[in-house]
Amino acid sequence: MEGKPLAAGNVAGNAREHERINVNWRARIVAGPSQYLDAKVINASIGGVCFVGDHPYRQGTELHVALAIPAPEDRTKLHYVQVRGKVAYQVMNNHMFKIGLQFTAVDETTVNLIKKWVWS
């Protein structure tokens, strides 16, 4: 369900610092100048995202990711943003990989857009 806040802090083994929200956003992992891999973001916070894709990444790998984030006030309009992050974890689930990405480079405009989603 999109829009449902998730717990933050170290609750029942959850070491996340920031409140998260379930989402359904498109993402592209940039693999080269004209190479990318599609993925789906399933939850987000101001500190990172969790996405599902068909390619594994080792913990600690630095990724360049393009996100299509719907405007919270009008979900028919998309904001295309780029972030960098480090893979925090990877879990295989039904032949797909669930990847936790902790942001290492994200601009203030993108952080404010994600805040609107998390805190709305």
Side-chain angles (χ1 to χ4, degrees):
M1 176 177 152
E2 190 169 283
K4 180 181 176 190
L6 303 174
N10 196 3
V11 179
N14 181 355
R16 295 176 179 139
E17 292 181 43
H18 306 287
E19 186 175 334
R20 305 181 83 67
I21 189 163
N22 290 327
V23 296
N24 184 11
W25 300 344
R26 292 181 303 179
R28 284 190 165 168
I29 293 77
V30 180
S34 60
Q35 298 176 331
Y36 59 86
L37 301 166
D38 287 325
K40 181 176 91 169
V41 176
I42 60 172
N43 69 51
S45 79
I46 60 171
V49 294
C50 178
F51 65 87
V52 177
D54 58 4
H55 187 78
Y57 297 95
R58 290 186 185 271
Q59 186 174 355
T61 301
E62 185 83 17
L63 297 177
H64 177 193
V65 180
L67 301 172
I69 304 176
E73 62 280 354
D74 181 356
R75 295 181 185 190
T76 64
K77 295 181 181 173
L78 296 175
H79 296 275
Y80 296 97
V81 301
Q82 296 194 28
V83 299
R84 290 193 178 275
K86 192 176 284 190
V87 174
Y89 67 87
Q90 168 187 275
V91 177
M92 187 171 185
N93 186 9
N94 295 327
H95 306 289
M96 298 295 282
F97 296 91
K98 184 175 168 182
I99 308 291
L101 187 75
Q102 181 178 16
F103 293 146
T104 58
V106 58
D107 64 45
E108 187 176 344
T109 302
T110 302
V111 170
N112 288 333
L113 179 59
I114 294 172
K115 280 181 184 178
K116 285 181 185 178
W117 270 94
V118 173
W119 295 337
S120 64

